[in-house]
Amino acid sequence: MDAIPAQAAPIAELSFEDALRALEDVVRRLEGGDVPLDESISLYERGEELRRHCQARLDQAQARIESIVAGPDGRAAGTAPFPGE
C-alpha cells in the first residue's frame, strides 16, 4: 500500500512523524512570507490542527510509559504510571 502524502491525508490518520513533518512544512511556508493572506490563514489553521494532533500523540505515549518502583531493599518491586498521570 502506498503512503498517503501528509498534505492530503486526514490529520487523524497521520502518524506522529508524518504530522510533525507536515507541521514543519507549514511553518517553513509561513515563515517564507511568500504565501497570499487567505492561504496563510488556511495554513495556520492546518498547522494548529497538526500541533494538536502531535500533542495528543505525545500525551498518549507519555501515558503508556511506566517507571520502575524500587522496594525498601532497592530492588525493583513493580511499575507505576509515568509521573503526572
Side-chain angles (χ1 to χ4, degrees):
M1 181 176 177
D2 293 331
I4 299 171
Q7 295 275 344
I11 291 173
E13 295 177 11
L14 295 176
S15 69
F16 173 80
E17 293 78 11
D18 288 340
L20 186 58
R21 276 190 289 275
L23 179 56
E24 290 169 344
D25 183 55
V26 165
V27 170
R28 199 170 13 262
R29 291 182 65 197
L30 287 171
E31 286 179 343
D34 298 329
V35 181
L37 179 60
D38 288 341
E39 189 177 346
S40 292
I41 293 168
S42 295
L43 278 170
Y44 180 85
E45 290 169 343
R46 180 164 175 85
E48 181 58 23
E49 291 174 26
L50 288 162
R51 184 202 62 78
R52 282 194 305 266
H53 177 72
C54 287
Q55 186 62 55
R57 297 295 299 258
L58 287 172
D59 291 345
Q60 290 169 356
Q62 181 180 5
R64 293 177 55 196
I65 296 172
E66 293 183 328
S67 59
I68 297 173
V69 176
D73 61 356
R75 291 183 161 183
T79 61
F82 189 80
E85 291 301 310

